[in-house]
Structures are given as structure tokens and as C-alpha cells.
Amino acid sequence: MSPLMIFLTVIYVVFCLFLIAVVLLQSGKSAGLGAISGGMDTFLSKNKAKTWDVRLAKITKWVAVAFMALTLVLVLFL
């Protein structure tokens, strides 16, 4: 195995772990809908949660695209 392939494989594993972490950090669509969990939220805390969720969604999209591109590169050169 060439040093480039080893480097790309290490980067691939890092992207895999980062993608898993980002997906697990996202809140579900039903988060905050219950009377107990979501009823006491203030307007400001809901807006902060929305911006954090939006950022996580954008990060997830970019990491997923990079993950797929790196997968194609590894498959073509392997």
C-alpha cells in the first residue's frame, strides 16, 4: 500500500467517525413536542436550538458529500 492510500484511509476513518458523531448530535423531529419536555421552553431557547440544529444539518450535508467523494476516490484507486 502506498503512503497516499494509507493517508486517504486514515482521513476516511476520521470522516466516518465525524459523520457518526454529527448525526447522533442532531435532535429528532419529535424533540420538544411533548407536554413535559417542550412545554417549558422559552422563545429564546427555541431559537437557539433551531440555529444549532440548522448548523448541524449543514455540517452533516457537507461531511456526507466529502465522505461520498472520498469513497469514490478510494474505490477508483484501490
Side-chain angles (χ1 to χ4, degrees):
M1 237 179 156
S2 70
L4 179 63
M5 288 303 293
I6 293 172
F7 177 72
L8 287 176
T9 305
V10 169
I11 296 297
Y12 186 70
V13 170
V14 170
F15 269 108
C16 290
L17 295 175
F18 189 66
L19 185 61
I20 290 169
V22 170
V23 168
L24 288 177
L25 282 173
Q26 291 182 3
S27 62
K29 294 292 183 189
S30 64
L33 291 180
I36 296 172
S37 64
M40 300 307 235
D41 287 338
T42 63
F43 178 73
L44 292 175
S45 67
K46 285 185 180 180
N47 284 339
K48 286 181 184 176
K50 292 291 184 190
T51 58
W52 180 245
D53 286 342
V54 169
R55 285 182 189 164
L56 280 176
K58 287 181 183 179
I59 291 171
T60 304
K61 289 175 190 173
W62 284 107
V63 171
V65 167
F67 175 78
M68 287 185 268
L70 191 55
T71 301
L72 288 174
V73 168
L74 285 172
V75 166
L76 293 176
F77 289 119
L78 229 139

